[in-house]
């Protein structure tokens, strides 16, 4: 069986208060995106890496790879208008039966254990969606009022979201919908039951400046253990 990781990096730096898209911001001395790619490339499954970037930043990425002597092999694919179209472009680069993990470029701390578990579960059950239970009380806003929800039934979805090729390829032949919030929602629309697996609190998505500081702390903890 072949394994692939599609890393999707089309985000901007707006919420990070930066002109540089957040995947290119530095984390412990090198771009966040490089940490993300390394986490998959050096995992036990060693998937082939497909990197989907906004066309306007492909040259910039190539310059960063040269500057930081980043030599991990990966296939560069042009992104689309929405994340849906970017992932679809990445899937088109795969021509064989395989298991595919789709991952946010700005989640650099996915562990080897999580990545391997995702591939194993998807290979056996068709898909594996990483999620963590909500630790906080949750309310749903409805007009001027709100409704309390049972937090034991609420899951926060992360990536990787991992699928068998045929299942994913079929799902992405659908027309785009605004209701598609992630890859799991695209696949679910075809009638497939999703398989949630336990995620990791350290597998954070770097969105705000404070997230970068937290990621640096987690990385320092990892180094201290090795």
């Amino acid at each position: 069986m072949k394994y692939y990781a599609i890393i999707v990096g089309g985000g901007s730096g707006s919420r990070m208060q930066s002109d540089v898209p957040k995947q290119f911001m530095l984390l412990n001395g090198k771009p966040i995106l490089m940490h993300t790619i390394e986490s998959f490339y050096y995992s036990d499954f060693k998937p082939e890496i497909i990197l989907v970037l906004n066309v306007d930043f492909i040259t910039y990425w190539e310059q960063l790879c040269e500057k930081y002597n980043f030599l991990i092999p990966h296939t560069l694919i042009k992104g689309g208008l929405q994340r849906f179209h970017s992932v679809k472009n990445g899937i088109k680069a795969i021509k064989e039966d395989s298991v595919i993990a789709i991952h946010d470029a700005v989640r650099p701390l996915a562990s080897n254990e999580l990545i391997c578990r995702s591939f194993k579960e998807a290979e056996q059950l068709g898909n594996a969606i990483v999620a963590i239970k909500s630790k906080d009380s949750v309310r749903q806003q409805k007009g001027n009022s709100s409704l309390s929800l049972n937090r034991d039934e609420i899951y926060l979805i992360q990536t990787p979201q991992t699928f068998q090729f045929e299942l994913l390829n079929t799902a992405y032949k659908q027309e785009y919908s605004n209701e598609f919030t992630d890859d799991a929602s695209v696949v679910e629309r075809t009638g497939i039951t999703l398989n949630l697996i336990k995620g990791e609190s350290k597998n954070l998505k770097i969105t705000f400046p404070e997230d970068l500081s937290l990621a640096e702390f987690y990385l320092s903890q990892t180094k201290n253990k090795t």
Side-chain angles (χ1 to χ4, degrees):
M1 180 64 71
K2 290 279 292 183
Y3 302 96
Y4 288 88
I6 298 177
I7 310 296
V8 188
S12 68
S14 57
R15 283 180 286 185
M16 290 292 292
Q17 303 165 20
S18 170
D19 294 330
V20 178
K22 52 194 174 183
Q23 61 268 24
F24 303 128
M25 297 182 71
L26 297 187
L27 172 62
N28 278 23
K30 63 185 175 185
I32 291 169
L33 180 51
M34 292 182 183
H35 290 277
T36 305
I37 292 174
E38 287 173 346
S39 67
F40 280 86
Y41 184 75
Y42 292 117
S43 72
D44 292 347
F45 275 74
K46 287 188 70 70
E48 292 190 27
I49 308 294
I50 295 174
L51 175 59
V52 187
L53 290 179
N54 184 306
V55 64
D56 294 334
F57 289 100
I58 286 180
T59 299
Y60 181 61
W61 168 248
E62 291 172 337
Q63 292 170 346
L64 288 175
C65 287
E66 184 175 349
K67 177 179 179 180
Y68 290 92
N69 195 31
F70 188 73
L71 302 177
I72 290 179
H74 58 279
T75 301
L76 266 174
I77 300 292
K78 295 178 182 178
L81 185 62
Q82 305 288 344
R83 179 191 171 90
F84 173 91
H85 303 103
S86 293
V87 172
K88 187 172 184 175
N89 289 350
I91 295 168
K92 287 179 181 178
I94 301 171
K95 308 296 183 183
E96 59 194 334
D97 191 27
S98 53
V99 180
I100 305 167
I102 305 173
H103 193 66
D104 299 325
V106 288
R107 288 189 190 269
L109 301 178
S111 71
N112 176 58
E113 191 275 335
L114 179 62
I115 291 169
C116 292
R117 189 155 39 88
S118 296
F119 278 121
K120 288 177 183 176
E121 292 276 347
E123 188 169 356
Q124 293 172 3
L125 300 175
N127 67 83
I129 312 302
V130 176
I132 58 175
K133 275 191 173 185
S134 174
K135 295 183 292 185
D136 301 316
S137 296
V138 182
R139 300 191 69 85
Q140 180 181 19
Q141 183 75 39
K142 285 184 173 289
N144 294 324
S145 61
S146 63
L147 174 68
S148 177
L149 302 179
N150 183 354
R151 68 181 176 189
D152 290 333
E153 298 176 349
I154 301 298
Y155 286 80
L156 309 179
I157 303 301
Q158 301 181 332
T159 65
Q161 297 182 7
T162 311
F163 309 88
Q164 293 178 5
F165 170 77
E166 193 58 42
L167 184 155
L168 192 63
N169 192 42
T170 298
Y172 271 88
K173 289 178 180 176
Q174 300 177 92
E175 293 295 323
Y176 170 72
S177 168
N178 287 327
E179 296 178 3
F180 293 152
T181 57
D182 60 2
D183 310 293
S185 61
V186 178
V187 171
E188 187 176 39
R189 179 67 68 85
T190 67
I192 297 295
T193 299
L194 299 179
N195 175 42
L196 299 185
I197 67 172
K198 186 178 179 181
E200 298 172 338
S201 59
K202 292 182 180 180
N203 182 29
L204 77 165
K205 184 177 183 180
I206 296 179
T207 305
F208 300 101
E210 56 267 30
D211 298 327
L212 196 58
S213 298
L214 186 56
E216 289 174 347
F217 171 72
Y218 285 147
L219 279 176
S220 68
Q221 279 191 320
T222 302
K223 287 183 178 180
N224 290 336
K225 290 179 181 179
T226 56

